[in-house]
Amino acid sequence: MVPLLDAILDRVPPPRGQREGAPFSMLVTQLEANPYLGKCALGRVTSGIVSVGDSIRVLAPETGDVIEAGKVTKLFLRSGVQQIEMAQAGAGDLVAISGVPKVGVNSTIASPDVTTPLEFIPIDPPTISVTFSVNDSPLAGREGTMLTSNMIRDRLLREAETNVALQIVSDGKSESMEVRGRGELQLSVLIETMRREGFELSVTPPRVLFKRDPENPKLALEPYEEITVDVDHDVSGNVIEKLTKRKGELKSFVDVADKARIVFHIPTRGLLGYASEFKNDTHGTGVMNHAFLHYGEYAGAFEKTRKSSMICMAQGTATSYALNMVEARGRLFVRNGDDVYSGMVVGELSKDGTDLDVNPTKAKQLTNVRAAGKDETIRLTPVKPWSLEAVIAYINPDEAIEVTPSQIRLRKQILDPTRRKQNSRKRISDI
């Protein structure tokens, strides 16, 4: 690393900015939460000198409106991975400033005599959302320690303070919280972090954030993204076919070294659940990147790719005797000895149609009558445990993900079978 660092010092020009005789200004590029100081704003000082106790103002991006006025309470200089408390900093320094709790990313922190905000790179808007709510399944409370809606709400609000691409929306009436983000990966990381902290959650399927055309309110617009993939030539045809079925439009196909670089413009809906397929299709050798492009016209409905589900109709423990009979109908998601409950998705049917209610808890009746033949050994197909990425890609709109510190289960949003059928009939009549 020494030759690389020496080359950076020799070839990379020093930061530009007038240190003496210029008013202080800094563009906020990142936020961090400090348990003792509150919200701290990180950025590079563009001009001037700032000291602890100086009066500062926060200017809104683009408009330059004053969001907040305050004083510098603490000043930290970034040196490598360390933070050094300083009394003064100047142009070119990477610093963290506390004292203005309403500051946001891309805001300008400056002296009171500065009225023009600094130029900034806009943050991509959130394109998908999920709803976090309390785990209300019959198995709730067995593993986690963070169970109430207030705990979930406080944790999400703390995350939104420093995660600039995350938005938390609450209607103030229900216990659920809508979380908006940039993609499946960002939301999966948040859910995984919370479950490791001891939370139990119920999470709805991800849905795309639509908006109306300002000129024609009847026209629905959906987000589009530019996706760039680098894959081997022998699998490029399969990748192009999959992306085309997801309403993608091929923009370029070029050779880069021994790889094929493919660029598509595709609706965000087309990327939901595609990451796991891409890994399988490219055998783990492909590289995929995507960025928000614009809002465009609705691309139409997608083809249904998932079959119907097998729904548990009783609460108890799954038995190998019952699973052996249920497995003849399709693929299982539970193993012998797993706890199940009514409304839980325990498998996928091999044929498409309506959901099928099954009883995986049925036990073999024992009698004093000796069987004529020897009981056959039951051999069940091994079940792969759910991962967050896999279950988010698989879930249906009327289902939910039950997340606990050690388990990930798939269930219906409405557990009661009677209410579930009534709701299904009502949804069909509304259509």
Side-chain angles (χ1 to χ4, degrees):
M1 294 296 293
V2 175
L4 175 61
L5 298 176
D6 290 340
I8 292 175
L9 293 175
D10 294 338
R11 297 178 179 273
V12 177
R16 299 176 181 178
Q18 186 178 355
R19 194 180 183 99
E20 302 293 340
F24 162 71
S25 61
M26 183 188 84
L27 181 67
V28 180
T29 56
Q30 190 177 349
L31 300 174
E32 68 176 14
N34 189 298
Y36 303 103
L37 303 175
K39 187 186 293 186
C40 294
L42 282 72
R44 184 189 296 275
V45 180
T46 305
S47 63
I49 296 175
V50 61
S51 303
V52 175
D54 287 353
S55 297
I56 54 176
R57 295 194 306 177
V58 179
L59 304 181
E62 295 181 351
T63 61
D65 297 335
V66 178
I67 299 176
E68 182 183 15
K71 290 187 176 181
V72 179
T73 56
K74 289 288 183 179
L75 185 64
F76 297 94
L77 180 69
R78 284 294 182 98
S79 178
V81 296
Q82 296 180 345
Q83 277 193 348
I84 304 172
E85 186 173 352
M86 302 288 290
Q88 188 180 77
D93 293 335
L94 295 173
V95 298
I97 296 177
S98 66
V100 278
K102 295 183 180 179
V103 68
V105 172
N106 287 337
S107 300
T108 299
I109 300 179
S111 302
D113 52 345
V114 176
T115 58
T116 304
L118 297 173
E119 295 183 359
F120 64 96
I121 299 175
I123 301 173
D124 290 341
T127 54
I128 66 172
S129 71
V130 297
T131 300
F132 285 52
S133 58
V134 176
N135 181 19
D136 58 353
S137 80
L139 304 181
R142 294 190 179 186
E143 303 173 11
T145 56
M146 306 290 187
L147 308 175
T148 65
S149 59
N150 288 334
M151 291 180 177
I152 297 174
R153 180 181 291 104
D154 293 343
R155 176 64 178 83
L156 293 175
L157 294 177
R158 288 200 309 270
E159 182 70 22
E161 289 181 358
T162 56
N163 196 333
V164 298
L166 209 65
Q167 294 182 4
I168 309 298
V169 180
S170 175
D171 57 6
K173 300 178 181 179
S174 61
E175 296 181 348
S176 59
M177 300 283 288
E178 182 183 359
V179 181
R180 299 177 177 179
R182 269 291 300 128
E184 292 173 289
L185 178 60
Q186 182 188 24
L187 298 176
S188 297
V189 170
L190 174 61
I191 296 171
E192 182 65 30
T193 302
M194 292 181 65
R195 69 181 290 222
R196 293 185 182 186
E197 294 174 357
F199 283 88
E200 287 194 12
L201 309 165
S202 178
V203 183
T204 62
R207 54 189 179 275
V208 174
L209 297 175
F210 291 86
K211 70 177 186 179
R212 295 293 178 180
D213 188 353
E215 299 179 356
N216 184 9
K218 295 182 179 180
L219 182 62
L221 303 178
E222 67 174 327
Y224 281 74
E225 307 208 14
E226 182 178 75
I227 176 174
T228 304
V229 296
D230 294 335
V231 296
D232 295 330
H233 286 83
D234 57 343
V235 298
S236 60
N238 193 15
V239 172
I240 293 175
E241 180 184 359
K242 290 285 184 69
L243 291 176
T244 303
K245 288 183 178 179
R246 292 171 174 264
K247 307 292 185 180
E249 181 181 353
L250 180 63
K251 291 299 181 181
S252 68
F253 185 106
V254 296
D255 292 336
V256 178
D258 59 340
K259 298 281 187 179
R261 175 163 292 177
I262 309 169
V263 179
F264 267 85
H265 289 178
I266 186 171
T268 301
R269 288 183 299 136
L271 294 179
L272 296 179
Y274 179 66
S276 58
E277 286 189 31
F278 180 75
K279 292 178 183 178
N280 294 332
D281 294 341
T282 61
H283 311 292
T285 61
V287 179
M288 178 175 65
N289 297 286
H290 57 91
F292 175 76
L293 191 62
H294 60 78
Y295 268 86
E297 291 187 11
Y298 179 65
F302 288 173
E303 297 180 4
K304 184 180 179 181
T305 58
R306 186 192 139 176
K307 298 181 176 65
S308 301
S309 304
M310 291 189 284
I311 313 301
C312 181
M313 57 187 298
Q315 183 173 349
T317 303
T319 64
S320 58
Y321 173 76
L323 293 177
N324 185 46
M325 294 185 292
V326 172
E327 191 177 23
R329 300 296 188 101
R331 181 165 62 105
L332 292 177
F333 298 154
V334 296
R335 295 166 293 187
N336 179 36
D338 288 351
D339 292 328
V340 295
Y341 54 87
S342 178
M344 180 176 169
V345 180
V346 296
E348 179 186 72
L349 288 172
S350 56
K351 295 182 180 179
D352 196 12
T354 58
D355 292 339
L356 178 67
D357 291 332
V358 297
N359 184 8
T361 65
K362 185 179 180 180
K364 185 176 181 180
Q365 297 296 327
L366 301 179
T367 66
N368 58 354
V369 178
R370 186 169 184 145
K374 190 176 181 181
D375 289 343
E376 297 180 358
T377 303
I378 297 176
R379 300 182 184 274
L380 298 173
T381 304
V383 176
K384 183 180 179 181
W386 282 117
S387 65
L388 268 177
E389 293 78 8
V391 74
I392 288 177
Y394 180 82
I395 188 171
N396 263 344
D398 63 336
E399 296 171 351
I401 307 170
E402 180 187 353
V403 181
T404 68
S406 63
Q407 297 287 336
I408 297 177
R409 302 182 182 95
L410 195 60
R411 48 162 282 189
K412 290 293 183 179
Q413 294 183 17
I414 302 176
L415 297 179
D416 182 63
T418 304
R419 286 184 52 210
R420 191 164 60 243
K421 291 178 181 178
Q422 291 175 350
N423 187 72
S424 176
R425 286 195 293 266
K426 180 181 178 182
R427 187 167 61 248
I428 294 174
S429 62
D430 292 340
I431 296 175

